[in-house]
């Protein structure tokens, strides 16, 4: 299967900078305050955009990507905080699914992360895109890639007890602020997606230091995976 237009989203400029530098035949326009760059990357038609931080920004960005640019596959790339204890800074998580960890209606009897009265609250990533990302990971960063559940919420997690709870209760591999909302929009529109996150910090008491120090390095690792994927899509 081939994709006509691949949407690539990062939350921050550092997460799309390398991709943007290699975009050929670039055309740029703006909708809802979000800039979209159309062009060719490795000969493939892509639309590259920076969503901004947080779930609402990411959801709006993704819906516009689908409606206005006819994206028929979406890759979200960037950095995250490690939740799974086996992950280290610089490791890559390829999403098998994603959940919004800050959705909490447990007081009404719903499990944490469950959106009330919806059939689906955990959004599966596309099997083919997962496979392509795994293949790219084995080539670019052998032994440093893990598949797992991505947890998203409008919070920067920097507390060890919260990290432990996210791992114990939700089985998350990593935590960030956008992926599950991108996944939900893709699910609602029947568009395949995958989230690729490189660990910039351990989401613990030192997270604010690690994040600043390792964000660019981690973003470069995510870029390398996406680059390799696009070559073979």
């Amino acid at each position: 299967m081939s994709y006509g237009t691949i949407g690539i989203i990062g939350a921050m400029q550092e997460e799309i900078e390398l991709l943007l530098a290699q975009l050929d035949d670039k055309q740029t326009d703006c909708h809802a305050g979000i800039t979209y760059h159309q062009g060719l990357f490795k000969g493939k038609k892509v639309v590259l955009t920076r969503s901004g931080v947080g779930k609402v920004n990411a959801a709006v960005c993704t819906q516009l990507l689908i409606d206005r640019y006819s994206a028929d596959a979406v890759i979200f790339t960037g950095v995250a905080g490690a939740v799974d204890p086996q992950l280290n800074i610089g490791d890559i998580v390829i999403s098998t699914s994603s959940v919004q960890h800050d959705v909490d209606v447990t007081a009404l009897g719903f499990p944490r992360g469950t959106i009330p009265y919806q059939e689906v609250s955990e959004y599966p990533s596309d099997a083919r895109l997962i496979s392509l990302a795994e293949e790219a990971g084995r080539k670019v960063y052998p032994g440093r890639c893990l598949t797992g559940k991505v947890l998203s919420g409008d919070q920067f997690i920097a507390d060890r007890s919260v990290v432990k709870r996210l791992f114990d209760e939700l089985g998350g591999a990593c935590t960030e602020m956008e992926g599950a909302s991108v996944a939900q929009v893709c699910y609602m529109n029947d568009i395949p997606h995958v989230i690729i996150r490189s660990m910039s910090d351990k989401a613990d008491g030192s997270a604010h230091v690690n994040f600043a120090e390792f964000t660019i390095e981690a973003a470069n690792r995510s870029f390398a995976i996406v680059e390799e994927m696009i070559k073979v899509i």
Side-chain angles (χ1 to χ4, degrees):
M1 176 184 175
S2 61
Y3 303 107
T5 300
I6 303 163
I8 305 173
I9 307 173
M12 301 183 299
Q13 192 65 29
E14 295 92 336
E15 295 169 334
I16 68 166
E17 200 66 52
L18 290 174
L19 290 159
L20 191 57
Q22 295 192 34
L23 198 62
D24 297 323
D25 300 333
K26 184 172 64 178
Q27 297 181 355
T28 298
D29 55 4
C30 184
H31 302 286
I34 301 169
T35 301
Y36 294 83
H37 309 276
Q38 300 178 76
L40 296 175
F41 182 75
K42 306 298 179 185
K44 310 299 187 341
K45 186 177 178 183
V46 304
V47 181
L48 175 65
T49 182
R50 177 177 66 86
S51 65
V53 174
K55 294 192 302 179
V56 174
N57 282 329
V60 170
C61 176
T62 306
Q63 191 63 58
L64 284 168
L65 196 57
I66 294 167
D67 287 346
R68 288 185 174 267
Y69 299 96
S70 301
D72 48 20
V74 173
I75 301 171
F76 197 104
T77 177
V79 302
V83 170
D84 189 324
Q86 70 178 299
L87 285 166
N88 293 305
I89 291 171
D91 287 349
I92 306 287
V93 170
I94 299 162
S95 66
T96 51
S97 64
S98 55
V99 170
Q100 297 174 53
H101 70 77
D102 60 347
V103 174
D104 187 350
V105 197
T106 53
L108 297 181
F110 293 92
R112 183 174 180 175
T114 297
I115 302 170
Y117 316 119
Q118 285 197 183
E119 290 185 4
V120 175
S121 295
E122 180 174 340
Y123 302 100
S125 301
D126 179 71
R128 179 168 183 258
L129 292 176
I130 294 170
S131 179
L132 287 170
E134 287 183 297
E135 182 181 335
R138 284 191 292 270
K139 183 173 182 179
V140 179
Y141 297 115
R144 300 295 302 272
C145 295
L146 176 91
T147 56
K149 186 190 300 182
V150 172
L151 306 180
S152 305
D154 285 323
Q155 304 162 1
F156 184 85
I157 305 297
D159 185 314
R160 286 184 178 88
S161 64
V162 175
V163 171
K164 186 177 186 305
R165 192 160 64 246
L166 290 176
F167 184 69
D168 291 344
E169 293 182 9
L170 294 173
C174 66
T175 180
E176 37 86 298
M177 298 179 66
E178 297 86 23
S181 58
V182 171
Q184 181 176 351
V185 173
C186 287
Y187 179 85
M188 293 168 72
N189 288 273
D190 196 26
I191 298 293
H193 83 281
V194 71
I195 303 162
I196 298 166
R197 292 291 199 175
S198 179
M199 301 305 101
S200 61
D201 62 85
K202 296 281 282 186
D204 58 16
S206 62
H208 64 292
V209 177
N210 292 338
F211 181 81
E213 183 176 354
F214 292 107
T215 290
I216 293 177
E217 177 189 340
N220 290 348
R221 285 175 175 262
S222 293
F223 160 78
I225 301 289
V226 174
E227 180 182 38
E228 196 62 35
M229 288 178 69
I230 299 297
K231 286 179 183 178
V232 299
I233 280 180

